[in-house]
Amino acid sequence: MGESRNRPAVVTAAIVVIAVVTLGLAEGMARLVSALERSEIPAVARLVNARLQLNPYQEPSDRYPRHWRLRTGWYADSRDLAAIKRASGREEGARFLEQASSIGFGLPLVVNSDGFKGPDLLAERTMPRLLAVGDSVTFGVAGWDYVRAMEASLALEGLRMEGVNAGVEGYSTLNALHERPRLVAIRADVCLLMIGWNDLFAEDGRYGTLGGHFHFAGMIRRVSRFLADSDRSAADKALRDRPKRPVVDDADVRRYQGYRPAFVDDLERLGVTLEQGGCRIAISTLAGLYTDNEPPSAKALAIGHLPAFTDNPYVLAAMTAGTNNALRGLAARHGWHLVDIAAWADRTAHPRADWFSDGVHLWAWALARLGDELARELRSDLFSPGLAPPGQ
């Protein structure tokens, strides 16, 4: 009789134990997968990277999973590149290139012999060298980007700078971290780090919740995205075209107040490595279409895009603000030069929707303005005593 009464309690306890063990195994597996993504494992890299949807000027890594580089020696003029983008379903990219070409920024895309965007590096150092590390914002549009704009801006003052564009479309901070040996080998005088948008968009919306402490939910999302990569262009278009809900007083917005993204730790590792290699470090904040200090216009709502986990532009604005505060703190801790492009955009980019082609990318003419600002900010770092003199 006593055994019968105790049986439900025993069954319940067994279920609880099984559930805890299962969750523990799932969490352990998720943490293992996360560690593998950060490790150099050629066999895993070849398996995973075979599914990557890359542009023809990119090639998969044979060392790291979910990693790729620019294809050495690649060349295409902007019209051919626009056609390539359109043929692969990247309609927004094609229109971006065509708009740039129509106003005189249609420079050909060249990947040099070192695998970086732009001309080959000078054999002899006759001028200071700047290395720009970033994602598609740094990569720019075809052959035009803020690095070329910096060179042009400084040239008007009679100063010459050699810019190396290490921006790659789609890069997260972890991708840049994988490239540390190659970046150090550039032996740049100044290293500008402007990266983080892909890290923010890869967030899964669990920040500030109990689920945010567990890895397995994030692993399920990454596996789903991996399996859906065959239709990535259509998925991205659906995200851009979906209705947006700009609500300031929203629980999700409040949850992201004080947001600190995990990628800042990787950015710190990258900066420390480059600094130890002899580079002066400059860190840039992120400037996007949506901010927390002004409501988005109808045009901004029409052209912008958001992470998959939210339809509220103020969520992305809160994430961006938290990220920028973390970047400011990182620069202060190490004594690195902070280039506050977010503050510059707040002062300059009006109306904001005219400067951005989507949620994070500046139009080609706006990249020129960004290059002017970066040249002004970094001029003293580049041409300070002890660096290579400017060529005449």
Side-chain angles (χ1 to χ4, degrees):
M1 190 74 174
E3 290 182 4
S4 298
R5 284 197 297 268
N6 290 335
R7 187 171 299 148
V10 171
V11 171
T12 300
I15 292 173
V16 170
V17 169
I18 292 171
V20 169
V21 170
T22 301
L23 290 174
L25 290 173
E27 180 66 11
M29 181 63 70
R31 290 177 182 269
L32 175 62
V33 170
S34 180
L36 290 176
E37 288 180 337
R38 306 178 68 86
S39 303
E40 183 178 350
I41 308 177
V44 175
R46 287 191 293 270
L47 176 66
V48 172
N49 294 347
R51 290 186 59 88
L52 292 176
Q53 283 194 318
L54 301 177
N55 290 290
Y57 49 85
Q58 299 168 332
E59 59 184 6
S61 169
D62 59 359
R63 299 171 59 194
Y64 296 101
R66 299 181 62 81
H67 186 58
W68 58 96
R69 292 178 174 178
L70 298 184
R71 194 178 295 276
T72 301
W74 208 85
Y75 173 94
D77 65 33
S78 59
R79 288 177 299 180
D80 289 342
L81 192 56
I84 289 169
K85 292 276 189 181
R86 181 164 283 115
S88 63
R90 296 176 171 91
E91 185 64 31
E92 292 294 323
R95 286 204 295 266
F96 190 58
L97 283 162
E98 290 165 349
Q99 193 275 346
S101 297
S102 70
I103 58 174
F105 293 105
L107 302 178
L109 172 60
V110 179
V111 181
N112 66 25
S113 57
D114 292 298
F116 298 107
K117 182 186 171 188
D120 283 334
L121 303 185
L122 298 175
E124 296 184 11
R125 298 287 290 274
T126 59
M127 61 187 76
R129 177 178 289 170
L130 175 133
L131 173 68
V133 181
D135 46 38
S136 54
V137 175
T138 297
F139 182 84
V141 49
W144 178 247
D145 49 66
Y146 66 70
V147 180
R148 302 283 84 81
M150 286 183 66
E151 290 176 332
S153 183
L154 290 168
L156 292 176
E157 302 180 54
L159 302 172
R160 298 180 64 198
M161 173 200 89
E162 183 182 24
V164 182
N165 189 331
V168 179
E169 293 163 307
Y171 260 24
S172 68
T173 311
L174 179 58
N175 290 119
L177 201 60
H178 289 330
E179 293 297 317
R180 279 179 294 181
R182 208 160 62 104
L183 298 175
V184 170
I186 293 298
R187 293 173 43 247
D189 300 300
V190 176
C191 294
L192 172 63
L193 312 180
M194 186 188 295
I195 194 167
W197 285 120
N198 291 303
D199 298 274
L200 291 188
F201 274 70
E203 180 67 81
D204 57 15
R206 297 178 300 126
Y207 182 85
T209 68
L210 180 61
H213 297 286
F214 297 99
H215 283 59
F216 67 87
M219 184 185 71
I220 293 172
R221 182 183 57 84
R222 288 197 299 274
V223 170
S224 298
R225 290 188 64 185
F226 175 73
L227 295 175
D229 261 349
S230 60
D231 200 19
R232 176 54 44 201
S233 297
D236 290 343
K237 184 178 187 304
L239 287 176
R240 285 194 303 271
D241 294 345
R242 64 180 173 158
K244 300 176 184 68
R245 184 180 55 89
V247 179
V248 177
D249 187 21
D250 184 80
D252 286 341
V253 176
R254 291 192 295 272
R255 189 156 50 85
Y256 280 96
Q257 300 299 323
Y259 173 72
R260 186 191 185 279
F263 82 82
V264 172
D265 295 334
D266 281 341
L267 189 64
E268 183 170 25
R269 295 185 189 98
L270 176 61
V272 167
T273 301
L274 292 172
E275 186 175 46
Q276 290 172 345
C279 200
R280 298 184 181 186
I281 305 300
I283 290 185
S284 173
T285 53
L286 304 180
L289 173 63
Y290 299 125
T291 71
D292 56 5
N293 53 23
E294 65 178 76
S297 65
K299 181 178 179 180
L301 293 174
I303 67 173
H305 65 302
L306 295 170
F309 60 83
T310 185
D311 60 356
N312 189 345
Y314 285 107
V315 169
L316 180 58
M319 294 174 71
T320 307
T323 295
N324 287 336
N325 286 335
L327 294 174
R328 294 179 184 113
L330 176 60
R333 285 198 305 277
H334 288 274
W336 294 338
H337 187 149
L338 175 72
V339 184
D340 204 339
I341 292 304
W344 167 79
D346 287 343
R347 295 190 307 268
T348 308
H350 303 291
R352 211 167 182 99
D354 288 351
W355 285 62
F356 288 85
S357 65
D358 59 21
V360 303
H361 297 102
L362 292 164
W363 288 113
W365 66 266
L367 285 173
R369 297 283 296 275
L370 174 59
D372 290 341
E373 175 65 12
L374 291 170
R376 186 190 68 79
E377 276 276 353
L378 298 176
R379 185 182 186 280
S380 60
D381 290 326
L382 286 163
F383 299 101
S384 62
L387 296 188
Q392 303 297 321

